[in-house]
Amino acid sequence: MKLRIAVQMDPLESVNIAGDSSFALMLSAQARGHELFHYDVRTLSYDTSVGAGGTLTAWAAPVSVQRLAGDHFSREDYRLLDLARDIDVVLMRQDPPFDLGYITGTHLLERLAGRTLVVNDPVAVRNAPEKVFVLDYARFMPPTFIARRIEDVRRFHAAHPGDLVVKPLHGNGGKAVFRVPADGSNLGALTELFGQVWPEPFMVQPFLPSVSEGDKRIVLVDGEFAGAINRRPGEGEFRSNLAVGGFAEAASLTAREEEICAALGPDLKARGLVFVGIDVIGGQWLTEINVTSPTGIVAIDRFNGTDTGARIWDAIEARHAAMG
């Protein structure tokens, strides 16, 4: 069945086609004969005076894509689309920050429930920010502390002496992640900085030397393991994110990682979180559950000879068919 798919994402002009998971998903959908539209979340509007229960619209443009650098998409004129009547699937793929704008988008998309399939489910995305949802699985995590006051952070540091890692609660791509030396010499300054820049608390964890062995990105599709890559820090870095200079290598799962996937899988599927990327350091420490705009499928498929995009669309098509 041909589906009409609206992709809510950042501008196509800025996409890195060599590794972008959203672009790979668009290519995969197009190969199946699905019709693609692109729109910016800022064009969403909701009108209670039209239609039963209100109408959610977006200014969207039909697009076609190809893996050709410098000429990777073509776009027709933007038009006003009723996301309940004109669209079968909304693919929510814009990058964080996970701020009030992002959250409001999920509130609006939630109103499509029962009419248009939204992937990942906007209610689940809103209720499962990557560094908060993961707390449900604390048994797999390193010691973790969320706070704002320097006095509280120093208390945690005293209980876990050694280097620390401090990171924003709703950051992404390894941005603004800091390593604090064991003497805590810059801990006060960092606490002040985080308090001035972000209104929410921040996360503190002991630095894990095993990060040198890699920070594994594991992709689950509808709760099932679909593939993994190991990301290692680049020269002079402790962060392994590909966006900050890390490099990828082929990977399989450890017994501990299989246990983590088995524990998470049923919950992810039940929540409508079709495409999820989890991060595991050193083969044992779960640090994030990425549900907003997970990445990594291009590298996974390159190393493993798989087609994760097709697997994701299989799951989406099955969910859409089940809606009746």
Side-chain angles (χ1 to χ4, degrees):
M1 176 183 177
K2 181 178 180 179
L3 297 177
R4 300 162 298 174
I5 299 163
V7 186
Q8 176 179 299
M9 63 181 289
D10 298 325
L12 281 168
E13 287 83 354
S14 61
V15 165
N16 173 14
I17 67 171
D20 189 89
S21 293
S22 300
F23 189 76
L25 287 172
M26 294 175 76
L27 284 170
S28 184
Q30 183 176 269
R32 291 174 173 234
H34 299 323
E35 187 177 4
L36 292 173
F37 297 84
H38 171 272
Y39 76 93
D40 187 313
V41 65
R42 293 173 295 182
T43 72
L44 286 176
S45 60
Y46 190 77
D47 189 347
T48 64
S49 66
V50 181
T55 301
L56 181 63
T57 59
W59 284 95
V63 295
S64 60
V65 290
Q66 58 183 351
R67 196 173 290 284
L68 181 61
D71 187 23
H72 58 279
F73 75 97
S74 60
R75 178 171 55 211
E76 298 179 28
D77 292 339
Y78 281 92
R79 62 190 70 170
L80 189 65
L81 292 184
D82 181 331
L83 294 183
R85 293 176 177 271
D86 302 330
I87 294 298
D88 300 303
V89 176
V90 170
L91 197 60
M92 189 168 62
R93 290 290 303 176
Q94 92 266 17
D95 289 337
F98 191 80
D99 55 14
L100 278 176
Y102 199 108
I103 291 170
T104 301
T106 67
H107 280 297
L108 293 175
L109 291 172
E110 178 185 354
R111 296 180 176 276
L112 296 173
R115 296 179 291 171
T116 299
L117 177 65
V118 183
V119 177
N120 284 324
D121 182 273
V123 177
V125 169
R126 184 174 67 244
N127 293 338
E130 358 282 269
K131 295 184 184 69
V132 178
F133 179 30
V134 71
L135 300 176
D136 289 354
Y137 303 93
R139 64 191 184 276
F140 298 119
M141 298 178 68
T144 298
F145 195 66
I146 295 174
R148 289 180 64 92
R149 299 192 328 140
I150 183 61
E151 296 86 353
D152 296 326
V153 179
R154 291 198 188 282
R155 176 166 48 86
F156 177 79
H157 193 197
H160 301 278
D163 290 8
L164 296 175
V165 171
V166 180
K167 48 191 168 183
L169 206 56
H170 299 304
N172 70 303
K175 301 182 185 74
V177 177
F178 294 90
R179 181 175 176 178
V180 177
D183 64 7
S185 55
N186 61 342
L187 190 55
L190 279 178
T191 301
E192 292 173 7
L193 174 65
F194 273 67
Q196 291 172 7
V197 175
W198 290 283
E200 66 271 7
F202 51 87
M203 178 176 279
V204 184
Q205 294 171 324
F207 173 72
L208 301 174
S210 55
V211 73
S212 62
E213 302 169 17
D215 181 357
K216 196 173 295 182
R217 164 54 56 89
I218 302 170
V219 167
L220 296 99
V221 176
D222 235 4
E224 298 291 333
F225 170 71
I229 53 169
N230 197 39
R231 302 168 298 179
R232 289 182 180 268
E235 185 69 28
E237 263 287 358
F238 72 94
R239 298 172 297 173
S240 57
N241 307 72
L242 302 184
V244 294
F247 64 92
E249 58 188 15
S252 57
L253 297 188
T254 65
R256 166 82 163 188
E257 289 164 342
E258 290 178 351
E259 182 185 0
I260 292 171
C261 290
L264 269 63
D267 193 14
L268 299 178
K269 184 171 184 176
R271 289 172 178 250
L273 295 169
V274 175
F275 176 16
V276 174
I278 67 172
D279 295 337
V280 181
I281 290 179
Q284 61 176 330
W285 298 113
L286 177 67
T287 58
E288 291 189 19
I289 303 174
N290 297 275
V291 303
T292 51
S293 184
T295 61
I297 66 172
V298 176
I300 286 172
D301 290 344
R302 183 171 65 249
F303 282 115
N304 299 329
T306 49
D307 190 346
T308 309
R311 186 163 175 176
I312 292 169
W313 284 112
D314 285 344
I316 292 173
E317 289 167 4
R319 281 182 175 265
H320 181 266
M323 292 174 64

